[in-house]
Amino acid sequence: MSTYLQHLIGRRRAMSLGFGTMIGMGAFTFISQSKDAQSPIQEQALRRSFIVAGEASLRDRAARKGLLYGSAVLRSKLANDPEFAASITNECSILVPIGELKWDMLRTDLEHFNFEPADWLIEFTHKRNMLVRGHTLIWHEALPSWVESVMNSANAKQILTHHISTVVKRYAGKIHSWDVVNEAIQLRDGRSDGLRNTPWLLMLGPDYIEMAFRTAAKADPKAMLVYNDFGLDYDTPADNAKRAAVLKLLERLKLKGVPVHALGIQAHLLRDKNPRFNPEKFKTFLQNVASLGLKILITELDVTDKTLPKDIQIRDRMVAAAYEDYLSVALAEPAVIAVLTWGISDRYTWLSKHDPRQDGASVRPLPLDQNLKRKLVWNAIARSFDKAPRRSS
Ligand code: G3I
């Protein structure tokens, strides 16, 4: 742990925590500098209060600016946890199913679809005047085991187009936006186009992406069609290269007249230790995407706290600052139309299993704590919407 943080913790312990002002620092500012410099920016971050005006929900604050706020959800949690469902309804204007529209929950075998879980979820959102995203039509994960034994180069096109047509037609007019292709870029696979060696690429070649978008557009000409990916956030060699590759992919698709309407930026933040966030680089990336005529959605926002201090007062502030630093840049770009967190409460987060803390402490990545009480992350998101420029409708 850097001496700076030790110094902070020492000072905090020595003083009543009434204000918490000493540790309201921006995680990016802290992490990116990780030295004891008392730069004006760092001092400013230290004094961040996370004060929010009023009690309005995140959905209402977003709506005031022509934006959408929502969360990923599971039908099983909404159906069996009424207080959780109430929190979701209160805070969210748009939802995205975590699993109900993926192949492994939809497709029992080549001939059959199990639409019941997705139908229930879509009904839940519509009854509450909420929107719903579709996630995801083509991905290399969450494929049921029969795909590997059944799919081959001869039938892969038919399997892909049949799946997309069947699912998108069923929900035509009911889905705000579809993640048509998810996570197709993986530079480690060594291809000059940066594409990931997924079963779809291996069976159909690079044109599977165009095929997927064109099939979805034919099935629901009104749906917003999104390319969704992660690792686009930081000033690191990997993220810098991935942003460039994703931009090139989007340019190629637009040049061919492929009906892609938006980029989904997953924004799973602080996944690696000490990543450097460069607001100017991220802003330029967003501008370059928007210059293609694309909208942008922040689709899976959360912050991994596994490398942050155990002390909840410090950790919550650093996580909240990570959200606010990121969203202040993202929401300044008018093409950004929606922010969804990948869950809304620490009670249900994939990070508990996927990125647990070595000290065994519960992770605290989301706006509401395990008792559904608002945390500083909630304040950070609320402040970001309050400061965001209003979108013209
Ligand atoms: O619903 C079944 C349940 O009936 C069964 O008892 C249980 C047994 O383990 O499994 C449940 O399904 C699980 C599903 O999550 C719902 O909880 C699957 O096994 C599990 O593989 C699945 O993991 C999800 C993963 O995507 C794969 O679909 C994670 O929760 C989810 O957070 C993760 O989300 C992905 C996005 O879709 C794409 N971007 C990255 C993100 C994180 O990996």
Side-chain angles (χ1 to χ4, degrees), residues 353-369:
K353 284 190 193 149
H354 197 274
D355 287 295
R357 292 179 53 86
Q358 286 187 346
D359 57 21
S362 300
V363 297
R364 295 173 61 87
L366 292 168
L368 306 181
D369 69 14

Side-chain angles (χ1 to χ4, degrees), residues 206-217:
D207 288 348
Y208 83 91
I209 297 173
E210 175 177 352
M211 199 184 290
F213 276 94
R214 291 194 186 282
T215 306

Side-chain angles (χ1 to χ4, degrees), residues 184-337:
I185 295 288
Q186 175 49 280
L187 295 165
R188 280 202 304 268
D189 286 359
R191 288 177 54 95
S192 59
D193 56 12
L195 291 183
R196 183 189 298 269
N197 284 323
T198 70
W200 305 106
L201 179 85
L202 299 173
M203 300 283 178
L204 292 167
D207 288 348
Y208 83 91
I209 297 173
E210 175 177 352
M211 199 184 290
F213 276 94
R214 291 194 186 282
T215 306
K218 198 170 162 197
D220 182 359
K222 293 203 178 94
M224 182 188 299
L225 304 180
V226 183
Y227 172 73
N228 192 49
D229 216 328
F230 68 93
L232 303 171
D233 316 300
Y234 295 114
D235 186 6
T236 61
D239 284 18
N240 292 339
K242 188 156 186 181
R243 282 194 299 273
V246 165
L247 197 57
K248 283 200 178 83
L249 170 65
L250 295 172
E251 285 166 351
R252 285 199 303 274
L253 293 173
K254 292 301 284 182
L255 210 56
K256 294 177 78 175
V258 173
V260 52
H261 308 128
L263 170 64
I265 299 177
Q266 292 184 14
H268 291 294
L269 304 182
L270 298 192
R271 300 293 312 285
D272 302 317
K273 199 166 169 55
N274 290 351
R276 178 175 181 79
F277 180 63
N278 182 322
E280 278 312 306
K281 278 194 176 181
F282 187 56
K283 177 183 169 186
T284 302
F285 172 66
L286 299 176
Q287 287 172 334
N288 290 339
V289 172
S291 69
L292 296 174
L294 297 175
K295 295 297 184 187
I296 300 167
L297 296 88
I298 307 298
T299 51
E300 306 182 15
L301 180 59
D302 54 20
V303 172
T304 299
D305 68 1
K306 66 182 178 184
T307 65
L308 302 182
K310 183 172 184 178
D311 184 300
I312 286 178
Q313 297 288 338
I314 293 178
R315 185 159 30 121
D316 277 7
R317 284 181 173 280
M318 292 177 77
V319 170
Y323 273 90
E324 192 169 66
D325 292 351
Y326 190 86
L327 288 177
S328 64
V329 177
L331 294 177
E333 167 52 60
V336 174
I337 59 170

Side-chain angles (χ1 to χ4, degrees), residues 64-67 295 334-337 389-393:
R64 287 172 192 160
K65 302 300 178 70
L67 286 159
K295 295 297 184 187
V336 174
I337 59 170
R390 176 162 180 61
R391 269 70 178 153
S392 50
S393 49

